[in-house]
Amino acid sequence: LMLFTVGFNFFPSAMMDGYKVLKFSGESETMMLFAMGLAGVQTMQWMCVCAAMRTPDASEAAAAACVLANALFWLLIAVSDGARVIFDTLPTNLPKETISLNCFVFLLLASMNVNAWIAAGMPKPEIKSLVPKGPLATPMLVMMGNLAGFGIGCFFFTEPFVEQFVPGLLGKFAAGPKAAILMIIKNAGLMMLMNIVSTCLVSAAGNGSADTNYRLLRAWVYGMFFYMGKFADEAVTASCTGWPAPARVPSFVTCFASLFFAATSLGSYPITVAKKPKTA
């Protein structure tokens, strides 16, 4: 996750070169880099959740659920990309051999996480309790609700959803670059939805405890803080390219409002940091 996060967010051009992606040019390249940034924000957010649940004092059941969620995360991305390879619907700008290798790596990561979950005793979160409850559940639900709108749009209604943000832009691109851009945005939508489902799984496994929910909300706040910085990136892109961005202000308002509520709730929640015993 860290490698993909760094690549998507900070070195997207180098990442495309490493994948031997056929060259984009002009506005299609700018839009491709933007799409990769969307995916990078989602991998970063889940990376923050994994980091929060890996410490020894985290709930063992919640940590095991996080591992199970990791397996689902990698499996679904592998299935999404693998189906395109199998049915020969992969965009022409993306080489089949590289994407096939990607799918193999994703399946390998999924199997490693499944093995770790089995080693942890295969704890199963209560499906009936997937909606977060307990302390800090409300701000977490607000943030998930905000992300769900973007996730549903990006994954299920990719092209019309993109048209709402940059109307008329996709029509300027050739079929290959356009399909590659839409594929990345669709995968970003899948990651958004998986971030929501995964968080619900971890919270349910932790029985909505204050410790587990605090860790989860803190990870979501970190991820959203980074995404708010991406808005500046988008503003610079819009200014330099002249692209219309009618949905940027409403998006900023909903994201800022949910972040402000979540960060305020997190900051005001009474916590006690355990002191380590002194050693001689």
Side-chain angles (χ1 to χ4, degrees):
L1 276 174
M2 183 178 292
L3 289 175
F4 279 100
T5 297
V6 172
F8 277 134
N9 286 309
F10 303 109
F11 306 102
S13 295
M15 193 174 184
M16 285 197 292
D17 291 340
Y19 274 82
K20 299 180 180 178
V21 173
L22 299 183
K23 292 294 182 181
F24 292 74
S25 61
E27 290 184 311
S28 66
E29 181 179 11
T30 304
M31 188 61 185
M32 183 64 173
L33 297 179
F34 170 79
M36 293 176 73
L38 288 179
V41 171
Q42 296 310 309
T43 56
M44 179 179 186
Q45 182 166 307
W46 186 241
M47 182 184 72
C48 290
V49 171
C50 292
M53 301 311 302
R54 71 170 185 81
T55 57
D57 50 345
S59 161
E60 291 185 4
C66 185
V67 170
L68 177 61
N70 276 340
L72 294 173
F73 192 101
W74 292 116
L75 178 62
L76 287 177
I77 296 296
V79 169
S80 176
D81 288 357
R84 295 175 182 273
V85 174
I86 294 171
F87 296 108
D88 200 26
T89 59
L90 198 66
T92 55
N93 284 60
L94 302 177
K96 184 180 293 186
E97 297 77 12
T98 308
I99 300 301
S100 298
L101 178 60
N102 237 19
C103 293
F104 173 77
V105 172
F106 293 163
L107 290 173
L108 183 62
L109 290 169
S111 70
M112 290 171 60
N113 279 279
V114 168
N115 287 336
W117 175 65
I118 292 173
M122 296 189 295
K124 301 177 182 63
E126 287 289 336
I127 301 299
K128 296 180 180 178
S129 304
L130 282 184
V131 177
K133 60 183 179 181
L136 299 174
T138 299
M140 199 151 51
L141 286 169
V142 169
M143 293 200 78
M144 288 193 290
N146 179 65
L147 185 61
F150 294 100
I152 291 170
C154 287
F155 185 68
F156 292 104
F157 310 102
T158 314
E159 187 168 350
F161 193 69
V162 174
E163 282 290 329
Q164 291 184 12
F165 286 83
V166 279
L169 182 63
L170 292 175
K172 298 180 180 181
F173 304 152
K178 177 182 175 180
I181 290 166
L182 290 175
M183 174 181 165
I184 298 298
I185 293 176
K186 189 179 186 71
N187 277 356
L190 177 59
M191 293 176 190
M192 295 175 196
L193 297 176
M194 274 306 301
N195 267 324
I196 294 171
V197 172
S198 300
T199 298
C200 289
L201 286 172
V202 175
S203 180
N207 293 317
S209 70
D211 179 80
T212 298
N213 284 357
Y214 186 91
R215 291 168 184 269
L216 289 171
L217 184 60
R218 183 178 58 190
W220 274 70
V221 166
Y222 287 166
M224 183 60 86
F225 266 127
F226 184 79
Y227 182 61
M228 295 307 291
K230 294 287 287 182
F231 270 106
D233 178 27
E234 294 172 16
V236 171
T237 299
S239 176
C240 292
T241 60
W243 292 349
R248 184 157 57 87
V249 172
S251 296
F252 177 85
V253 170
T254 61
C255 290
F256 180 81
S258 62
L259 173 61
F260 184 82
F261 176 56
T264 302
S265 301
L266 187 72
S268 62
Y269 190 78
I271 61 170
T272 302
V273 179
K275 294 182 179 180
K276 293 184 179 180
K278 293 182 179 181
T279 55

